[in-house]
Amino acid sequence: MRVAVAGGTGLVGKYVVAELRAAGHTPVVLARSHGVDLTTGAGLAGKLSGSDAVIDVANIVTTRRKTAVDFFSRTTGHLIAAARAGGVAHLVTLSIVGSDEVDFGYYFGKRAQEELVRDGAVPWTVVRATQFFEFPEPLLNGVSPVVVVPRMLTRPVAAQDVAQTLVEHAVEGPAGMAPEIAGPDQLDMVDMARRIARARGSRRLVVPVTLPGKVGKAMTTGGLLPRGEYLRGRRTFDAHLASLRAA
């Protein structure tokens, strides 16, 4: 198969591209560095030509509702329009467990994205995943000796496990709302950040903070955990920490 990967240079995108190649498929990266601007649609039609499916893992780092909704609405809208015009048979979209229930700014963007996919003219699959093992790492990359980390209860999952699942869905065909994917262990984000810092040999002080209102309550009481049956990732957070120590 020829599979286009929106956001193919990012954390999950790189794993998706590698998984596609390992399985004998041909990945086509959709990113600015490869001549495609998803926010405007520039270069998209040519890259999608001849593709059997699209896997969308494009992302933006923001906590602002307006910014998130604008980004995901524009990129998803351009992808759907170009995929429909190019005869692409399947759009696989990565979303977040709990994004439909927790009223956090970024999650409103994922809600808008899911709605566009569901109402679009291209057969689709949406896969919701929990937070990745790497989620706290950008917070630890600054220069301040103190790092503020939000309290979040999650079942963190390996980005590679998520990538493998997305590729499997792309090959199998449209499934609508697919089973959610989560990691094997329930952890708190603050504890994850502290353990990552130790694995890196960092002495930075991790200070927990609870987000205000209903958002903070939802994040600390299971609003980001999968409900019912879900796909369990096989890689563990302990193994992720071991890889950081070995790096």
Side-chain angles (χ1 to χ4, degrees), residues 19-103:
E19 290 285 341
L20 286 166
R21 285 179 177 146
H25 305 295
T26 302
V28 179
V29 175
L30 308 178
R32 283 195 178 97
S33 58
H34 287 67
V36 176
D37 187 341
L38 293 169
T39 62
T40 65
L44 189 54
K47 284 283 189 176
L48 280 184
S49 178
S51 293
D52 302 291
V54 176
I55 297 176
D56 183 11
V57 292
N59 193 33
I60 186 173
V61 178
T62 184
T63 60
R64 295 175 60 86
R65 175 176 178 172
K66 184 179 184 301
T67 302
V69 170
D70 179 64
F71 175 83
F72 287 111
S73 296
R74 284 191 290 138
T75 57
T76 304
H78 291 312
L79 275 174
I80 292 172
R84 181 183 181 186
V88 177
H90 187 194
L91 172 61
V92 182
T93 301
L94 175 62
S95 191
I96 303 172
V97 170
S99 60
D100 57 335
E101 298 185 21
V102 180
D103 291 335

Side-chain angles (χ1 to χ4, degrees), residues 207-230:
V207 177
V209 61
T210 301
L211 296 182
K214 293 181 180 179
V215 171
K217 182 177 180 180
M219 286 185 170
T220 57
T221 58
L224 299 178
L225 298 177
R227 288 167 173 74
E229 296 294 324
Y230 63 92

Side-chain angles (χ1 to χ4, degrees), residues 85-138:
V88 177
H90 187 194
L91 172 61
V92 182
T93 301
L94 175 62
S95 191
I96 303 172
V97 170
S99 60
D100 57 335
E101 298 185 21
V102 180
D103 291 335
F104 185 57
Y106 175 82
Y107 297 160
F108 284 101
K110 299 306 286 185
R111 293 182 198 177
Q113 180 184 40
E114 287 190 15
E115 183 177 357
L116 285 170
V117 170
R118 289 194 302 267
D119 294 342
V122 179
W124 58 276
T125 300
V126 169
V127 179
R128 289 177 177 169
T130 53
Q131 287 66 38
F132 306 131
F133 293 157
E134 295 88 351
F135 185 89
E137 293 183 10

